[in-house]
């Protein structure tokens, strides 16, 4: 190899991460156990930044844990974070479960993360989103004993959601997702690749908060703002401090709940069936849409219309074929 070709050689890729960094603070009196996650998606860094500030405050003595346990995971998917993208080998916030034979990088992370989730009572998972808009928080189902996501801590979870800050709360993700999977299976059949097998498995909808609920805990996903919005770090920081105050882990004052709240229930998800399926507008999450309005057009020319008055949520004009194109939500009565 000549010197010239050496100089032109690309820099060798960074080695894949081999550990997960966690920090735990034990109050010297017993109390609730809180887990805070940042960068479950590698390009959503507001939580990681807010956690770094918090570690500084705790280590300098500016903030003190007086009871219970606080565990911080600044970067929960270190491979995706290193790559500066949402996922590493796959989406860490799906199919969350320990695996005896890990295949993807995220399977190995889950084998460390699931026992950590098991060891805590409450979870605050800090995310950000692609298109602009106001922060919102996602909660699980109402209390129920059904087979999909039985739950008994809806009141605690709503209280946590309200104190994280945003006035907009979104619920009903997993059952809507599971119904979407049924529709997807009805169209495509269960055969296919590993990727296809994953996206047609109802367990694929289980992320950090769903896993937490399945183990007797509760938790919320806070979407702090647009990925690059510098205000998102402040939103994340406020949420962590208020969660510490709510659970009594520290002696900070608790801010009152927002006086106005808007609770939206996800009721339907629509897959993109073909690369020629297009939206009628550049939808943003929580755009209102009246019954009968055209949301998009299938490549066949078939119009996709709003079934009732409602809201577009998580629209993805570039969704892969066979994956979620948009969710539809209604105001909870
Ligand atoms: Zn995310």
């Amino acid at each position: 190899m000549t010197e010239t070709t050496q100089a032109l050689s690309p820099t060798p890729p960074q080695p894949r991460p081999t550990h997960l960094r966690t920090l735990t603070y034990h109050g010297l009196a017993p109390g609730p156990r809180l887990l805070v996650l940042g960068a479950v998606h590698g390009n959503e860094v507001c939580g990681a930044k807010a956690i770094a500030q918090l570690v500084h405050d705790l280590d300098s003595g500016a903030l003190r844990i007086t009871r219970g346990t606080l565990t911080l995971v600044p970067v929960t998917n270190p491979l995706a974070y290193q790559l500066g993208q949402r996922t590493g080998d796959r989406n860490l916030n799906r199919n969350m479960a320990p695996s005896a034979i890990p295949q993807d990088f995220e399977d190995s992370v889950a084998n460390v993360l699931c026992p950590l989730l098991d060891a805590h009572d409450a979870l605050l998972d800090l995310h950000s989103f692609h298109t602009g808009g106001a922060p919102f928080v996602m909660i699980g189902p109402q209390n129920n004993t059904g087979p999909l996501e039985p739950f008994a801590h809806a009141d605690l979870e709503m209280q946590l959601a309200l104190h994280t800050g945003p006035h907009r709360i979104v619920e009903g993700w997993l059952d809507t997702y599971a119904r979407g999977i049924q529709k997807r299976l009805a169209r495509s059949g269960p055969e296919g690749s590993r990727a296809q097998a994953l996206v047609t498995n109802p367990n694929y909808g289980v992320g950090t908060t769903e896993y937490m609920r399945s183990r007797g805990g509760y938790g919320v996903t806070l979407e702090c703002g647009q990925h690059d919005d510098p205000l998102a770090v402040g939103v994340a920081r406020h949420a962590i401090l208020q969660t510490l105050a709510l659970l009594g882990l520290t002696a900070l004052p608790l801010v009152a709940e927002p006086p106005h709240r808007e609770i939206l229930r996800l009721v339907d998800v629509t897959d993109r069936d073909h690369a020629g399926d297009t939206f009628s507008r550049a939808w943003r999450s929580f755009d209102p849409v009246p019954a009968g309005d055209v949301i998009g057009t299938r490549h066949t020319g078939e119009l996709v219309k709003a079934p009732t008055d409602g809201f577009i949520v998580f629209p993805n004009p570039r969704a892969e074929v066979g994956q979620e194109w948009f969710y539809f939500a209604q105001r909870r009565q």
Side-chain angles (χ1 to χ4, degrees):
M1 188 184 285
T2 67
E3 274 182 34
T4 314
T5 53
Q6 270 182 341
L8 290 175
S9 299
T11 47
Q14 274 184 281
R16 284 160 74 94
T18 56
H19 66 240
L20 193 66
R21 178 172 175 246
T22 74
L23 300 103
T24 299
Y25 297 82
H26 295 282
L28 297 183
R33 300 166 299 173
L34 170 67
L35 178 63
V36 181
L37 302 180
V40 164
H41 293 133
N43 60 336
E44 303 177 6
V45 298
C46 59
K49 290 179 178 172
I51 289 172
Q53 288 178 359
L54 203 80
V55 169
H56 181 268
D57 293 346
L58 287 161
D59 292 348
S60 72
L63 182 69
R64 300 186 321 144
I65 300 301
T66 52
R67 67 165 197 151
T69 298
L70 170 65
T71 297
L72 304 165
V73 186
V75 176
T76 312
N77 188 339
L79 175 60
Y81 184 81
Q82 178 177 298
L83 295 170
Q85 59 192 38
R86 179 176 175 82
T87 63
D89 292 337
R90 66 168 176 87
N91 188 345
L92 176 62
N93 211 23
R94 299 282 187 276
N95 206 32
M96 178 66 67
S99 45
I101 306 173
Q103 297 187 43
D104 303 319
F105 178 84
E106 284 74 10
D107 294 343
S108 302
V109 172
N111 279 351
V112 176
L113 193 57
C114 290
L116 204 57
L117 290 159
D118 290 346
H120 292 79
D121 306 304
L123 168 67
L124 175 61
D125 189 2
L126 300 164
H127 289 245
S128 60
F129 45 81
H130 179 71
T131 42
F136 62 96
V137 58
M138 296 189 66
I139 60 173
Q142 295 177 33
N143 287 339
N144 73 93
T145 53
L148 181 69
E149 196 178 19
F151 194 43
H153 299 310
D155 292 345
L156 285 173
E157 195 170 271
M158 178 62 88
Q159 219 187 14
L160 171 57
L162 287 169
H163 281 97
T164 58
H167 79 285
R168 180 177 284 142
I169 295 170
V170 178
E171 66 170 15
W173 189 75
L174 189 60
D175 61 334
T176 302
Y177 186 86
R179 267 184 284 119
I181 293 282
Q182 291 308 313
K183 287 201 293 184
R184 192 178 286 170
L185 275 172
R187 279 197 310 276
S188 65
E191 301 302 319
S193 64
R194 171 171 161 76
Q196 184 69 15
L198 281 177
V199 297
T200 51
N201 180 346
N203 285 336
Y204 192 68
V206 174
T208 58
T209 53
E210 292 77 21
Y211 180 85
M212 194 72 183
R213 290 179 204 113
S214 78
R215 305 293 290 177
Y218 64 97
V220 303
T221 300
L222 178 62
E223 298 281 353
C224 300
Q226 202 277 336
H227 296 325
D228 304 317
D229 186 345
L231 295 178
V233 181
V235 171
R237 177 179 171 82
H238 175 83
I240 300 171
L241 293 175
Q242 284 301 298
T243 303
L244 291 174
L246 177 69
L247 299 181
L249 269 60
T250 187
L252 287 174
L254 188 62
V255 176
E257 295 173 8
H260 305 290
R261 66 184 81 163
E262 179 181 67
I263 303 176
L264 298 182
R265 172 160 190 76
L266 297 174
V267 291
D268 197 18
V269 56
T270 301
D271 281 350
R272 194 167 183 225
D273 289 344
H274 188 277
D277 294 355
T278 54
F279 282 138
S280 63
R281 288 171 38 188
W283 295 108
R284 286 164 45 130
S285 265
F286 310 112
D287 278 346
V289 53
D293 245 33
V294 175
I295 296 168
T297 308
R298 297 286 188 191
H299 77 289
T300 55
E302 180 197 346
L303 299 177
V304 179
K305 295 180 180 178
T308 61
D309 290 352
F311 301 84
I312 304 289
V313 185
F314 313 136
N316 184 356
R318 289 179 298 281
E320 284 177 45
V321 169
Q323 304 243 348
E324 303 103 291
W325 196 18
F326 67 92
Y327 285 77
F328 191 78
Q330 294 168 343
R331 207 183 293 274
R332 185 167 110 184
Q333 301 307 316

